[in-house]
Amino acid sequence: MTQDTSVDEIQSQALGALGAIDDIRKLDEWRVAYLGRSGRLTSVLRGLGALPPEARREVGQRANMVKSVLEKALEEKEEVLRQAELQRSIEGGKLDITLPGRRPNRGRLHPTTQVVREICDAFVAMGFQIVEGPEVEWDYYNFEALNIPKDHPARDMWDTIWIDPPSESEKPMLLRTHTSPMQIRVMEKTQPPVRVVVPGKVYRYEATDATHESQFYQVEGLAVDTNITFAELKGTLYEFARRIFGTERKVRFRCDYFPFVEPGVEMAIDCFACGGRGCRICSNSGWIEIMGAGMVHPEVLRHVNYDPEIYTGFAFGLGPERIAMLKYGIDDIRLFYSNDLRFLYQF
Ligand code: YSA
């Protein structure tokens, strides 16, 4: 038998075998047997080199023709079997071709990100620029330069997660406990007038409850210029509250202490849950604190070589999760980071 007749034989055997297949899952076995890397036709094509030149051309051409015939036959058979399978499942009632398709899931921004952006937009509209800074911070920026020297009791206001504890390192590092260190970084690099907001994540070694997380966001604000007074601070923050909450909500300013401001204030909004009567969420006070603020302390200005006789400024640091809670009536801050899609899909 010549190589040529053996190629014809392969074709007729292959087509016979293909005709006998009635299950789509068996087609791959057939493909491997005849057209696969060690299949019968591929072996003939591989052996062409050993044939004399005139036979090589003839057998080669024939084998390639057979290959196309088999490939086409495989394609047709696959289509026939697929149609048959579809027909069977329609008849068997397994496939409801009238069912609407499944909607692909669409991604969206996390509610905290949405609120952070909304807050920043409100300040950008009032002439502030947005800057960002490191979450791993030096003790110097987080405390020292903000008028909180080592061993000062004010450090206890921020339960700190240390990377290098102060006793072990000359230049201790920590996870920033607030966005206020960016006040120093910005003023070191710029000359007044300064108007910036700084969104970012902060970390505290703190037990969680309905209004406290150990990782949360803050948005810092800083304005320094000549002639900035407490009136500018109040005007800016009232305007912010009006833009975010509308004109109906009540705003309360109270004296507060932060070592890097003088005087210092705390700003609160009336509790969304009890309308100010007092409940679990607002610790029976009727108010939810959303930010600390104040006039930048002259000592902080001196730290960055601004002359406090010429320049004054105000600063604030607010909690976007608390603002989202007030805006949307969310009664537990832990919902933001529990990865519960039923919660997240509402925003
Ligand atoms: C004060 C004066 C300034 O001139 C500038 C900034 C500040 C704020 C200061 N750096 C600070 O961190 N103050 S704070 O500890 O009271 O936090 C500010 C805001 O962050 C709070 O009003 C609250 O909205 C939010 N916050 C605080 N602890 C939180 C929290 N949000 C969620 N979980 C916590 N554990």
Side-chain angles (χ1 to χ4, degrees):
M1 190 170 39
T2 65
Q3 283 285 348
D4 218 4
T5 43
S6 106
V7 170
D8 286 340
E9 236 176 72
I10 292 173
Q11 173 173 323
S12 75
Q13 282 173 11
L15 291 179
L18 189 64
I21 293 178
D22 57 2
D23 181 348
I24 198 160
R25 284 165 286 267
K26 298 225 168 93
L27 284 182
D28 204 48
E29 259 172 53
W30 179 92
R31 191 191 55 76
V32 171
Y34 291 98
L35 298 169
R37 277 156 59 94
S38 322
R40 291 183 59 191
L41 196 63
T42 319
S43 308
V44 173
L45 286 165
R46 284 227 177 100
L48 285 179
L51 296 178
E54 57 295 352
R56 194 183 306 156
R57 192 152 170 267
E58 204 178 317
V59 177
Q61 270 178 359
R62 183 78 197 120
N64 275 321
M65 269 174 59
V66 170
K67 189 170 176 223
S68 313
V69 170
L70 295 188
E71 280 171 351
K72 189 151 185 291
L74 174 65
E75 227 173 78
E76 286 169 3
K77 183 76 184 191
E78 196 172 351
E79 184 54 27
V80 168
L81 291 178
R82 206 180 289 289
Q83 285 299 334
E85 198 161 84
L86 183 64
Q87 199 56 38
R88 268 200 304 281
S89 46
I90 292 172
E91 278 159 14
K94 276 193 239 148
L95 181 73
D96 178 359
I97 52 174
T98 63
L99 259 182
R102 288 201 187 117
R103 264 177 206 283
N105 282 337
R106 282 182 63 198
R108 66 190 76 193
L109 292 177
H110 189 278
T112 312
T113 311
Q114 291 184 32
V115 171
V116 167
R117 290 191 182 182
E118 211 176 314
I119 293 167
C120 288
D121 285 351
F123 285 110
V124 165
M126 290 188 262
F128 286 73
Q129 285 182 312
I130 300 175
V131 288
E132 287 181 301
E135 290 175 18
V136 179
E137 189 52 283
W138 299 109
D139 176 290
Y140 174 78
Y141 288 107
N142 199 83
F143 291 128
E144 292 258 356
L146 287 168
N147 203 23
I148 317 173
K150 280 196 178 54
D151 305 320
H152 193 283
R155 289 198 176 205
D156 295 346
M157 290 167 72
W158 293 278
D159 295 308
T160 307
I161 299 172
W162 293 96
I163 289 176
D164 289 326
S167 54
E168 287 169 24
S169 166
E170 274 293 288
K171 283 180 77 184
M173 272 198 140
L174 45 82
L175 294 182
R176 68 177 175 190
T177 57
H178 49 180
T179 40
S180 301
M182 279 303 290
Q183 290 187 26
I184 306 297
R185 286 184 179 273
V186 167
M187 288 192 283
E188 272 180 351
K189 290 218 175 90
T190 355
Q191 284 304 306
V194 172
R195 273 177 191 77
V196 290
V197 279
V198 187
K201 217 161 176 197
V202 302
Y203 303 83
R204 293 190 191 171
Y205 188 62
E206 201 170 295
T208 61
D209 62 26
T211 51
H212 291 84
E213 263 293 356
S214 55
Q215 301 181 30
F216 56 99
Y217 280 81
Q218 282 194 342
V219 176
E220 189 80 9
L222 173 70
V224 183
D225 206 341
T226 50
N227 298 323
I228 289 201
T229 68
F230 201 82
E232 270 81 35
L233 179 155
K234 273 187 101 175
T236 307
L237 296 183
Y238 266 126
E239 176 59 15
F240 160 74
R242 202 187 58 76
R243 283 175 192 252
I244 297 289
F245 299 112
T247 45
E248 298 304 305
R249 301 301 282 270
K250 289 192 208 119
V251 176
R252 182 187 76 178
F253 282 104
R254 279 205 314 192
C255 289
D256 202 349
Y257 169 70
F258 299 99
F260 35 95
V261 285
E262 184 55 43
V265 289
E266 164 223 281
M267 180 174 158
I269 304 282
D270 60 325
C271 176
F272 66 91
C274 62
R277 284 184 301 281
C279 66
R280 172 185 77 89
I281 294 161
C282 58
S283 310
N284 287 317
S285 70
W287 298 93
I288 295 186
E289 177 208 316
I290 58 162
M291 71 170 94
M295 299 304 290
V296 181
H297 199 290
E299 205 48 49
V300 173
L301 296 176
R302 271 186 216 107
H303 255 288
V304 293
N305 296 322
Y306 282 12
D307 184 348
E309 298 300 324
I310 303 174
Y311 297 113
T312 49
F314 66 83
F316 55 87
L318 55 87
E321 288 92 348
R322 298 258 181 102
I323 286 172
M325 289 173 78
L326 284 161
K327 229 173 129 60
Y328 300 118
I330 298 162
D331 63 3
D332 198 319
I333 197 170
R334 290 165 290 198
L335 283 166
F336 286 103
Y337 305 116
S338 57
N339 274 337
D340 186 338
L341 292 180
R342 291 169 306 175
F343 171 74
L344 295 174
Y345 277 146
Q346 296 176 71
F347 300 95

